[in-house]
Amino acid sequence: MLVHLLKSKIHRAQVTGGSLDYEGSLTIAEDLMEAAGLHPYEKILCSNMANGARFETYVIKGPRGSGQIVLNGAAAHCGKAGDRLTIMSFTEVDAAQAADWHPTVIVLGENNRIVARK
């Protein structure tokens, strides 16, 4: 049996911009993607701490070190610059592995810099 578990999470990511004209996705700075174990085009679930919106989209790579978190396409309607997001990805693991599973979690602070890893 497979169990659907949290694979990775970026907590308190601050939205830096939005682009309605883009076809969809969430831009995340490449270094933050790597720290969280996210892959380009990976499906993610986002929750906006400011307005309660929850939405699914996929990740695209932003410039390394830029701190970019950009809502693109329809997702741009789910928040605005300054809002804080929780960005989550999930995986399926064998039930035997689930007991010892630990997701990769990073917490962001000012300018979307990593302040904690869990």
Side-chain angles (χ1 to χ4, degrees), residues 32-100:
L32 298 177
M33 286 176 58
E34 289 173 355
L38 293 170
H39 301 279
Y41 310 108
E42 184 170 357
K43 179 181 174 180
I44 54 173
L45 172 66
C46 300
S47 60
N48 185 325
M49 297 167 66
N51 63 21
R54 293 176 70 88
F55 57 94
E56 288 183 345
T57 189
Y58 63 95
V59 178
I60 60 171
K61 195 180 339 181
R64 180 179 294 280
S66 67
Q68 281 190 353
I69 302 291
V70 180
L71 298 165
N72 299 306
H77 290 286
C78 296
K80 63 184 184 324
D83 287 358
R84 294 278 180 182
L85 302 180
T86 300
I87 303 164
M88 300 159 278
S89 69
F90 299 87
T91 191
E92 292 182 336
V93 298
D94 185 84
Q97 294 176 292
D100 294 321

Side-chain angles (χ1 to χ4, degrees), residues 10-17 28-32 63-69 82-84 106-115:
I10 301 176
H11 189 57
R12 300 192 58 76
Q14 188 170 28
V15 175
T16 59
I28 301 175
E30 184 175 17
D31 55 314
L32 298 177
R64 180 179 294 280
S66 67
Q68 281 190 353
I69 302 291
D83 287 358
R84 294 278 180 182
I106 61 172
V107 180
L108 303 184
E110 190 173 332
N111 298 315
N112 285 330
R113 301 296 178 229
I114 299 171
V115 296

Side-chain angles (χ1 to χ4, degrees), residues 4-26:
H4 201 137
L5 298 176
L6 180 68
K7 181 185 101 149
S8 58
K9 177 169 83 167
I10 301 176
H11 189 57
R12 300 192 58 76
Q14 188 170 28
V15 175
T16 59
S19 176
L20 280 171
D21 294 327
Y22 192 82
E23 293 180 4
S25 69
L26 183 73

